[in-house]
Amino acid sequence: MGIQSGHPSPATQHSLQGLAPGTRAHCEVSLCAQGNRPSRPAGRPSGPGHRAQIATTHPCARARLSPAISRVSPAPSCPGLSAPPPPAAPPPAAGARQPRSAQCAIGRARRRRLLPPPRSHAGPPGGRGVCIREFRPAEQEAARRIFYDGIMERIPNTAFRGLRQHPRTQLLYALLAALCFAFTRSLLLTCLVPAGLLGLRYYYSHKVIRAYLDCALRTDMADIEHYYMKPPGSCFWVAVLDGNVVGIVAARAHEEDNTVELLRMSVDSRFRGKGIAKALGRKVLEFAVVHNYSAVVLGTTAVKVAAHKLYESLGFRHMGASDHYVLPGMTLSLAERLFFQVRYHRYRLQLREE
């Protein structure tokens, strides 16, 4: 059945005369589309989609819809017609508190692992988020643990990596292997000589470093408050991350040459690579500047290259190295001299000229 054409009734036209031209045109089009709808047989679908299709195919709507929309945007309200749907609510501002129902929904989704967990507020790399503050007596055991773990890591480094710093010892071990082959003519025994020498290096490295560690734990690290916090010109700091002590460093003044010595620096192995060691070193430099010391000095037997790069990045200059340094706890026996060697490096950062 075709669509019947028609126009708004005279009464409706009289009610529209007082409106603006654009509004009147829009209302005429809408009333024409509403009032001139086809007769629908039984069983035909009815709904918004069907009425929209009729409106776009009606001659009156097709002729008047485009000029009205082009002149008026957005479409004004008409008397007797339903208002357009309200605009969508804007998204909540950043940091705004969500409704309780939304918070419960987010919590359920996270428990079901549909959403990622909230971002952690842990400190990012570069030492940011780490608090460097003075030592407190309640942190004695945490500081001793970090110091102990850091020193124990030097046992394999000194035994194996440290051998590369001593070419004379390498030559001596090679001569021992050659002598073994010359007397035994056995390749198997000759190959076992280097393994035995490395085993002896590890044994004596463990022996000497443990003796040094026991000596330190019985002296200054036994009572940090007494050795570093009470004497003038000395201090001890801890690095705290998420409420846990993750690093330590100490400073001790030498009044005879007006310098400060940086010592006992160590960082928990689980938190390395975040700039914590550099932040601890800077704290010692600030201490020296505030107290008007002329230089900061340090000595280390570290084998790792990263430790030396750290000191250089802080501004220290390498002043020399010695292969005859005696660690506390050494007995200087022939076996120790043969299977344990350390190289002691000295660094200095000049703050001002005397």
Side-chain angles (χ1 to χ4, degrees), residues 5 16 42 47 51 67 76 113 116 123 137 144 153 168 190 207 228 258 282 286 301-302 309 347 354:
S5 62
L16 296 175
R51 289 195 296 271
R113 296 184 179 180
R144 284 167 58 92
E153 289 179 1
R168 294 181 179 179
T190 304
K207 178 178 178 291
Y228 293 105
N258 196 32
R282 287 173 178 168
E286 293 174 4
T301 58
K309 288 185 177 180
Y347 286 88
E354 288 292 338

Side-chain angles (χ1 to χ4, degrees), residues 296-312:
V296 181
V297 297
L298 67 89
T300 180
T301 58
V303 178
K304 290 184 178 180
V305 178
H308 298 274
K309 288 185 177 180
L310 169 65
Y311 304 140
E312 293 173 356

Side-chain angles (χ1 to χ4, degrees), residues 17 30 33 41 73 89-90 154 156 159 166 180 183 194 198 226 239 276 279 317 330 338 351-352:
Q17 288 180 359
S30 302
S73 180
R154 297 191 180 186
H166 303 279
C180 178
F183 283 102
L198 291 177
H226 175 74
I276 298 176
R317 292 180 55 191
M330 289 183 64
L338 184 60
L351 299 176
R352 60 183 180 83

Side-chain angles (χ1 to χ4, degrees), residues 10 21 36 62 65 81-82 100 130 134 142 151 154 166 198 210 215 235 241 245 253 257 281 301 307 315 317 332:
N36 298 277
R62 187 170 59 250
L65 184 60
L81 297 180
S82 60
R100 186 174 181 83
V130 179
E134 292 186 0
I151 295 298
R154 297 191 180 186
H166 303 279
L198 291 177
R210 280 302 301 265
C215 179
C235 195
L241 179 63
V245 177
D257 56 357
T301 58
R317 292 180 55 191
L332 300 179

Side-chain angles (χ1 to χ4, degrees), residues 8-16:
S9 63
T12 305
Q13 293 181 357
H14 178 73
S15 65
L16 296 175

Side-chain angles (χ1 to χ4, degrees), residues 88-324:
R97 185 177 180 87
Q98 297 177 339
R100 186 174 181 83
S101 58
Q103 294 179 358
C104 296
I106 293 175
R108 289 193 297 269
R110 284 190 177 134
R111 286 194 295 269
R112 296 174 185 173
R113 296 184 179 180
L114 300 178
L115 291 177
R119 291 184 178 180
S120 173
H121 296 282
R128 293 172 291 176
V130 179
C131 174
I132 309 296
R133 57 172 173 78
E134 292 186 0
F135 168 82
R136 298 173 183 173
E139 297 161 342
Q140 174 78 28
E141 291 304 320
R144 284 167 58 92
R145 176 187 57 81
I146 294 175
F147 175 73
Y148 177 88
D149 293 341
I151 295 298
M152 290 298 291
E153 289 179 1
R154 297 191 180 186
I155 294 176
N157 292 332
T158 304
F160 306 129
R161 289 186 180 182
L163 183 59
R164 296 179 297 181
Q165 300 178 351
H166 303 279
R168 294 181 179 179
T169 304
Q170 296 179 31
L171 179 60
L172 177 61
Y173 292 170
L175 289 176
L176 291 176
L179 288 175
C180 178
F181 179 76
F183 283 102
T184 62
R185 298 293 180 177
S186 173
L187 290 176
L188 178 61
L189 293 177
T190 304
C191 292
L192 290 176
V193 168
L197 293 174
L198 291 177
L200 289 171
R201 284 187 63 85
Y202 184 85
Y203 170 79
Y204 279 98
S205 296
H206 184 275
K207 178 178 178 291
V208 174
I209 291 177
R210 280 302 301 265
Y212 163 75
L213 185 59
D214 293 340
C215 179
L217 293 177
R218 288 195 305 265
T219 54
D220 61 322
M221 294 303 294
D223 192 350
I224 298 175
E225 180 76 16
H226 175 74
Y227 273 83
Y228 293 105
M229 304 306 295
K230 292 183 178 180
S234 299
C235 195
F236 197 98
W237 296 272
V238 295
V240 180
L241 179 63
D242 295 334
N244 300 316
V245 177
V246 298
I248 59 172
V249 71
R252 183 171 57 195
H254 299 282
E255 300 297 340
E256 60 274 9
D257 56 357
N258 196 32
T259 61
V260 170
E261 182 182 5
L262 184 153
L263 67 165
R264 302 306 189 217
M265 178 186 286
S266 184
V267 177
D268 193 323
S269 59
R270 297 171 296 176
F271 300 94
R272 291 175 186 170
K274 301 179 181 294
I276 298 176
K278 182 174 286 189
L280 290 168
R282 287 173 178 168
K283 196 66 176 180
V284 176
L285 301 185
E286 293 174 4
F287 175 82
V289 171
V290 169
H291 290 82
N292 203 27
Y293 289 99
S294 61
V296 181
V297 297
L298 67 89
T300 180
T301 58
V303 178
K304 290 184 178 180
V305 178
H308 298 274
K309 288 185 177 180
L310 169 65
Y311 304 140
E312 293 173 356
S313 67
L314 289 171
F316 286 88
R317 292 180 55 191
H318 189 259
M319 305 302 295
S322 174
D323 293 333
H324 305 288

